[in-house]
Amino acid sequence: VVGRDSAQSVAYFLLSIIPIRFAVIVLFLVSCFVSIAMGTSVGTITLITPIAVAVAQSSGFPIPLCVGTVVGGAMFGDNLSMISDTTIAATRTQGCEMRDKFKVNFAIVLPAAIITIILLTVMTRGYVAALNDTYNGELIKVLPYLFVLIGAIFGVNVFLLLGGGVIFAGVVGITTGALDLFGVISAISEGMSGMFELCMISVVVGGMVELIKFNGGIDFVLNFIQSRIKNKKGAEFGIAALVSVVDLCTANNTIAIVMAGPLAKNIADEYDIDARKSASILDIFSSVWQGIIPYGAQLLTAAGLAGISPF
C-alpha cells in the first residue's frame, strides 16, 4: 500500500509542476526512479501504468506510447537497482560488488536514457496536450524510496537497508493513514510470499544447470561460443548473445542471468573481462530483451492493465 501511494505521489507531484507537453517524459523518469528504488520492473509497471493510461486519456497522448514509456523506464531502473533480483544474480554469479557494478552499468545505460528522452521529446512534439485532471501527491510518501535509494548508493548492507526500509515505510504508512499495524504485517507477508516462486525456480534451475554440466552440456556451449570468439570484445558479445538467447527462451530476465551466469563467468575469466563489466552485460541484455518480448511478464502486465495488445 505504501509502495503504491509512494509511486503515485512521485508521479502526481511531477505532473503538477512540469508542463503537460512533457508528461510522457515525466512518466519515463518516474518509472526509472520508482524501479531503481523498488528493484522490480513488474511492480513498477503495475503501479505506474494506470497513471499512464489516465494521463493519456486526459491529455491526448497515445496510450501505447505512454505505456511503452513506462515499460522502458521500468526496465532501466530494474537493470540499475542495487536491490533488484537481477542485479543480485548478476553480481553473485560474476563475483563483484553491487555498488561497483552499478557504477560501470550506469556509465553504459545513461547515454541510452538521454537518447530516449530526446526521442520522446521529438515523438510527442506534434501533440497538443491539455490535462483535464488535477494531480496531487504527498511528498512524505516518497521518503521510503529515497531512503532505500540513497542507502544503496552509499553501500549500506542490503539486508539492513531493506529491513530499515520496511520499518520506515511502515511508519510512513501508519502516520499518513494509508494502513494500520495489521496492514503493515499483511504487506510484509505479501512481499515475502511473492518471492516463493522465484526461490523455487532458482533451486530447480540450479539443479538443472548442474545436471547439464555433469553431462557435458555446459562444455559444449562454451566450446561453441569460444570457437567463434577471437578477442576480448568478441567475448563480451558472446556473453551478451548467451544471456539474450536464454532470456528469449525463458521470458524471465532473472532466470536467464542465473542460467547464463556460470557460463559467462567462465568466458570472462578466459578472456580477462572485468567482473563488473560481465555482470553489467548480463543485466543489461537480459533486461533489454525482457522489456521487448510481448510474451514476457512486463509487457503482458502493462498491456493487461491498459487494455491494449502487448504487440
Side-chain angles (χ1 to χ4, degrees):
V1 174
V2 175
R4 183 181 67 242
D5 289 348
S6 297
Q8 291 175 347
S9 293
V10 174
Y12 292 160
F13 173 73
L14 289 178
L15 286 171
S16 66
I17 64 174
I18 295 178
I20 186 56
R21 64 179 180 275
F22 300 121
V24 177
I25 297 173
V26 168
L27 290 172
F28 175 71
L29 295 176
V30 168
S31 299
C32 291
F33 172 76
V34 172
S35 188
I36 289 175
M38 290 180 63
T40 166
S41 53
V42 174
T44 299
I45 290 167
T46 302
L47 295 173
I48 306 300
T49 296
I51 300 175
V53 173
V55 168
Q57 291 174 340
S58 64
S59 66
F61 290 118
I63 292 179
L65 174 62
C66 293
V67 175
T69 298
V70 170
V71 174
M75 300 314 300
F76 171 88
D78 190 10
N79 169 238
L80 275 181
S81 177
M82 282 180 279
I83 58 173
S84 167
D85 46 6
T86 58
T87 294
I88 294 171
T91 54
R92 289 295 178 267
T93 58
Q94 301 308 295
C96 65
E97 295 295 326
M98 288 185 284
R99 181 169 59 174
D100 295 333
K101 178 259 186 189
F102 173 86
K103 294 176 181 177
V104 173
N105 207 350
F106 187 74
I108 298 173
V109 300
L110 179 61
I114 294 172
I115 293 172
T116 299
I117 292 173
I118 294 172
L119 287 174
L120 289 175
T121 302
V122 173
M123 292 174 67
T124 57
R125 187 173 53 183
Y127 291 93
V128 180
L131 199 62
N132 300 322
D133 299 322
T134 301
Y135 297 106
N136 296 304
E138 298 178 70
L139 287 182
I140 188 174
K141 293 179 179 178
V142 182
L143 296 180
Y145 282 165
L146 293 175
F147 173 80
V148 172
L149 180 59
I150 294 172
I153 292 174
F154 281 95
V156 178
N157 179 277
V158 66
F159 292 105
L160 294 177
L161 179 62
L162 292 180
V166 169
I167 296 173
F168 189 15
V171 171
V172 171
I174 294 174
T175 302
T176 58
L179 69 174
D180 54 18
L181 180 60
F182 293 105
V184 173
I185 297 173
S186 176
I188 294 173
S189 176
E190 285 183 35
M192 289 182 174
S193 63
M195 296 301 294
F196 292 163
E197 182 180 350
L198 178 61
C199 291
M200 290 303 299
I201 291 175
S202 297
V203 170
V204 173
V205 168
M208 183 173 66
V209 170
E210 191 61 30
L211 282 174
I212 295 171
K213 181 178 180 180
F214 179 80
N215 288 286
I218 287 182
D219 289 334
F220 172 80
V221 173
L222 276 175
N223 290 333
F224 178 80
I225 293 176
Q226 289 177 338
S227 66
R228 287 156 175 77
I229 294 175
K230 305 302 180 183
N231 50 43
K232 184 175 180 179
K233 185 59 66 176
E236 293 177 354
F237 276 106
I239 293 173
L242 176 64
V243 74
S244 297
V245 170
V246 176
D247 186 75
L248 289 170
C249 294
T250 62
N252 186 303
N253 49 339
T254 303
I255 299 305
I257 293 172
V258 171
M259 292 185 69
L263 299 176
K265 177 63 173 173
N266 289 339
I267 296 174
D269 290 342
E270 176 74 19
Y271 289 91
D272 195 28
I273 299 174
D274 192 313
R276 299 170 298 175
K277 186 67 172 293
S278 60
S280 296
I281 293 172
L282 284 173
D283 207 346
I284 289 171
F285 279 86
S286 63
S287 294
V288 165
W289 287 110
Q290 191 64 26
I292 293 175
I293 52 177
Y295 52 89
Q298 284 76 4
L299 280 185
L300 288 175
T301 300
L305 291 169
I308 58 177
S309 165
F311 289 92

